[in-house]
Amino acid sequence: MTAPGAYRRERLDRGIKVRSDDIFALAGWAELVYLAGPRVAAAVLLLVFPLLRNWTGDYWQTVFLVAVAMMLAAVSWAFLENVGLVSLGHSLFFGAGGYLTAIAVLDLRLPPLLAVVCGTVVAAAGCGVLLGPVLRLRGVYFSLVTFALPLLFARVIEATKILGGTEGLAGIPGLGSLEARQYLLVVGLLVATFGLQRLLDSDYGLVLHAIRDNDLSVRASGIPVGWWKFGAVVVGALPATLAGAVLATHYHVVGMSAFALDYSVLPLTAAVLGGPGTMAGAAVGAALLVPLSELLRAFGTLRVVAYCAVLVLALVSVPEGLFSLVRRRYHQFERWVPL
Amino acid sequence: MVDRVSKQFGGVRAVDGVSLEVRPGEALGIIGPNGSGKTTLVNLITGFVRPDNGRVLFRGVDIAKSSVEARVRMGIARSFQTPRPFYRLPAFRNVIIPLCSRRARERLGSGFGRREEVALDLLEEVGFERDAAAVTKPASELPHGYLKRLELARCLALDPQLLLLDELFSGMSPAETASLIPLLLRLVQEGRSLVLVEHRLAELFQVVGRVVVLDFGRKIAEGHPAEVMTREEVRRAYLGGEVSASA
């Protein structure tokens, strides 16, 4: 930016962006590709990666599985943040999904796939009920409660030795092959990312946004705010509980570590890094963070330091979020114009 | 309608044993100096505040303990004294919010795919020009008078049987109020009940046939506007207040 004194930077929508903004998108292949291209490319990448097992090796396939699970958690976090519920305890959803799946498969003897589905849904509903009484809290007060809940669960399990105590629940049968688990998560991720974004863009999303900004007027408009928030929590928790459920069948064990702080911090970090406000941004953030964390293993004990350094660097240099930056560059071009 | 309701905030008796009644197809004005309990009374009727004692009857049913949403479903809507729009949303999307409520879906048929159309109709009704830029502007960029009308449109989206308007006219230009008065009169003609809390008495008296005067949370007078304003206690209450009656 040398001597911008006599110049200012101007950002303009690309022609194709303007053309494809409206129904004219159907006018030609170029516009269709422009609109659908990035989404389709991302989806294809996710669907193809598990097929490359011979080439990548099992290690990176497992990293992929964990990454997709974290992407789900991040999407879940971003959805709730969008409706004004900033969660600092996403491991609550994650852990609940894992434990309930373990119970379903070990105690109720359900087949693994059914157990995962039941664990996912019941955990999301249960978390909704659990958080129901505190949904009237706003902003940081709600966040603090969500921060405390997973810690509380972990301590209760430790102290009362229920649910296997510190040992956890072991012997969970695997859910099919590695590929089956990967594809279950990938499909879940695609549905969650595009579905939740779609939901937010609909009239229902409008109401959810309105509740965040001005719940008094929403109540005066005859909309039961409490029930809507409850619904948002249950729907928003689903991706995270699914991630917890599938990872439990992958590791064959679920323990107190499912309620660990890591699972609360990562979705939040991913969403901030990727670009807050969008589902895809959160997913992109998680897709970068998990492999990054693996690559940094070479640093040994200093791994966390290197991880934090990368994170701070990214946040300072691209405060709008990586996904938001790329999306802006995709839709707009920049030029310097004289004043 | 409202039967001896009281509400105390700390040591202040905001509303103290007030009773009043509005019939279908009637417009009632509530006036009184600042802090006399007018807005609290609106909050009591609409459920934003629960009364300490007394009853709130709507079509013969005691709704004193019902939630705001339940009351809206029965047909009670209110506007806020200070407009509380959804600032980030365009004007017509502001009206979509109430159109998502159960009441609107049942009464106005604002199901999926019909909401934009109904919203535009409602905005036109309160004086937005259909194709004007104001319809698609975010509420944060609209002038005060438009926000007031937006507030009214939000209420009309609930097809209210009882409509409580808290200082609708305040901050509006004479031309703006003049354009709204025929709409309010038509709502009354349609058989709806209107309750107007108002400081602008000249405009108020064009709409209502009866006023209730509050002072320090008590009802000090009720009756025909012209007659009430001549009473000694009303004059005293108003001279103590900061509002000069224009009637």
Side-chain angles (χ1 to χ4, degrees):
Chain A
M1 312 316 139
T2 47
Y7 289 87
R8 73 185 171 83
R9 192 154 61 167
E10 187 178 64
R11 284 175 188 157
L12 290 173
D13 281 0
R14 294 182 198 279
I16 192 162
K17 153 87 173 145
V18 178
R19 283 199 302 283
S20 57
D21 254 355
D22 222 319
I23 53 165
F24 305 112
L26 302 173
W29 281 106
E31 283 85 357
L32 274 179
V33 170
Y34 173 79
L35 277 184
R39 294 174 176 84
V40 172
V44 167
L45 194 67
L46 286 169
L47 289 168
V48 166
F49 195 87
L51 301 176
L52 306 176
R53 195 165 170 179
N54 288 332
W55 186 63
T56 59
D58 282 0
Y59 175 71
W60 284 105
Q61 289 296 333
T62 306
V63 172
F64 175 78
L65 180 80
V66 175
V68 177
M70 289 307 117
M71 286 161 85
L72 274 163
V75 167
S76 155
W77 189 90
F79 177 78
L80 289 180
E81 190 266 340
N82 240 286
V83 300
L85 301 167
V86 175
S87 152
L88 293 180
H90 242 63
S91 58
L92 172 69
F93 305 133
F94 193 82
Y99 268 104
L100 282 170
T101 303
I103 291 170
V105 78
L106 294 175
D107 294 342
L108 304 179
R109 307 254 162 231
L110 295 181
L113 183 62
L114 191 62
V116 165
V117 173
C118 290
T120 302
V121 174
V122 174
C127 290
V129 172
L130 199 64
L131 289 172
V134 296
L135 283 179
R136 61 174 59 224
L137 298 180
R138 300 185 67 101
V140 72
Y141 302 99
F142 174 81
S143 305
L144 269 178
V145 173
T146 60
F147 181 70
L149 277 176
L151 301 177
L152 181 133
F153 268 94
R155 293 295 152 257
V156 167
I157 289 170
E158 187 182 1
T160 61
K161 300 195 167 49
I162 51 162
L163 299 170
T166 47
E167 305 285 309
L169 296 173
I172 305 169
L175 177 69
S177 59
L178 178 63
E179 281 87 354
R181 277 164 250 150
Q182 287 173 324
Y183 277 116
L184 186 60
L185 285 183
V186 167
V187 169
L189 176 66
L190 292 176
V191 171
T193 310
F194 295 120
L196 291 179
Q197 188 68 56
R198 185 73 189 246
L199 184 71
L200 283 178
D201 293 339
S202 73
D203 285 352
Y204 295 101
L206 205 63
V207 174
L208 290 173
H209 280 137
I211 290 174
R212 178 185 65 179
D213 291 348
N214 179 359
D215 61 341
L216 219 51
S217 284
V218 178
R219 287 178 68 203
S221 301
I223 285 165
V225 169
W227 282 109
W228 276 73
K229 278 190 173 178
F230 173 76
V233 168
V234 173
V235 171
L238 278 172
T241 55
L242 174 69
V246 173
L247 280 198
T249 71
H250 177 73
Y251 292 134
H252 305 296
V253 61
V254 57
M256 277 166 47
S257 62
F259 288 118
L261 205 54
D262 310 30
Y263 295 120
S264 300
V265 174
L266 199 132
L268 188 158
T269 323
V272 173
L273 179 75
T278 59
M279 307 299 107
V284 168
L288 294 173
L289 278 181
V290 176
L292 172 74
S293 157
E294 291 300 323
L295 288 171
L296 293 176
R297 276 186 195 278
F299 286 84
T301 329
L302 288 176
R303 175 175 162 220
V304 178
V305 178
Y307 184 80
C308 290
V310 172
L311 208 62
V312 170
L313 207 67
L315 289 179
V316 170
S317 54
V318 195
E320 64 185 313
L322 290 169
F323 174 75
S324 310
L325 174 79
V326 172
R327 186 176 54 172
R328 181 163 59 73
R329 285 286 164 83
Y330 186 68
H331 288 314
Q332 297 181 321
F333 63 91
E334 290 182 353
R335 66 180 180 189
W336 291 96
V337 284
L339 282 172
Chain B
M1 189 92 228
V2 177
D3 186 19
R4 284 161 299 179
V5 289
S6 298
K7 180 69 196 181
Q8 195 160 346
F9 295 120
V12 183
R13 284 178 169 272
V15 171
D16 191 1
V18 172
S19 301
L20 53 84
E21 190 186 355
V22 201
R23 286 176 288 274
E26 193 201 7
L28 173 74
I30 299 181
I31 60 174
N34 288 342
S36 59
K38 306 183 297 292
T39 297
T40 304
L41 194 57
V42 170
N43 284 336
L44 285 168
I45 298 172
T46 51
F48 281 88
V49 166
R50 304 277 163 91
D52 296 333
N53 35 55
R55 298 184 302 162
V56 181
L57 295 172
F58 183 65
R59 295 171 150 187
V61 184
D62 189 357
I63 54 166
K65 291 193 167 62
S66 308
S67 66
V68 174
E69 299 83 29
R71 295 184 206 204
V72 170
R73 261 187 79 194
M74 296 175 80
I76 301 178
R78 61 99 40 107
S79 74
F80 290 99
Q81 185 177 354
T82 337
R84 299 181 128 271
F86 307 108
Y87 280 108
R88 295 194 224 174
L89 302 180
F92 79 100
R93 292 214 182 276
N94 266 266
V95 188
I96 300 249
I97 306 282
L99 286 176
C100 289
S101 71
R102 199 154 160 178
R103 170 101 184 160
R105 276 182 283 142
E106 286 168 4
R107 308 282 296 210
L108 299 179
S110 61
F112 185 73
R114 284 254 310 133
R115 293 193 194 115
E116 265 93 359
E117 206 182 319
V118 179
L120 288 176
D121 287 345
L122 285 164
L123 283 177
E124 200 172 18
E125 209 167 333
V126 298
F128 280 75
E129 280 164 52
R130 201 175 182 105
D131 297 319
V135 171
T136 50
K137 257 192 197 169
S140 54
E141 292 172 22
L142 290 177
H144 187 75
Y146 274 91
L147 292 182
K148 287 279 186 178
R149 278 183 270 168
L150 194 56
E151 192 82 354
L152 182 58
R154 188 179 58 65
C155 296
L156 294 182
L158 299 166
D159 189 26
Q161 194 55 47
L162 168 64
L163 177 55
L164 299 105
L165 301 170
D166 198 352
E167 299 200 18
L168 178 71
F169 294 146
S170 73
M172 278 192 173
S173 71
E176 282 175 322
T177 52
S179 69
L180 278 182
I181 286 170
L183 169 65
L184 296 182
L185 290 173
R186 209 192 72 219
L187 291 173
V188 176
Q189 261 176 13
E190 288 171 0
R192 301 173 207 262
S193 310
L194 243 60
V195 172
L196 280 81
V197 171
E198 206 46 76
H199 278 309
R200 305 227 336 223
L201 302 183
E203 285 90 348
L204 176 70
F205 294 163
Q206 292 178 42
V207 181
V208 300
R210 193 158 56 94
V211 290
V212 165
V213 190
L214 295 185
D215 193 24
F216 292 111
R218 290 171 179 279
K219 184 164 91 172
I220 58 166
E222 178 174 3
H224 191 269
E227 185 259 325
V228 163
M229 292 314 290
T230 59
R231 291 195 203 169
E232 176 65 18
E233 62 270 27
V234 176
R235 295 189 150 264
R236 205 180 318 125
Y238 258 91
L239 284 173
E242 57 189 71
V243 180
S244 59
S246 54

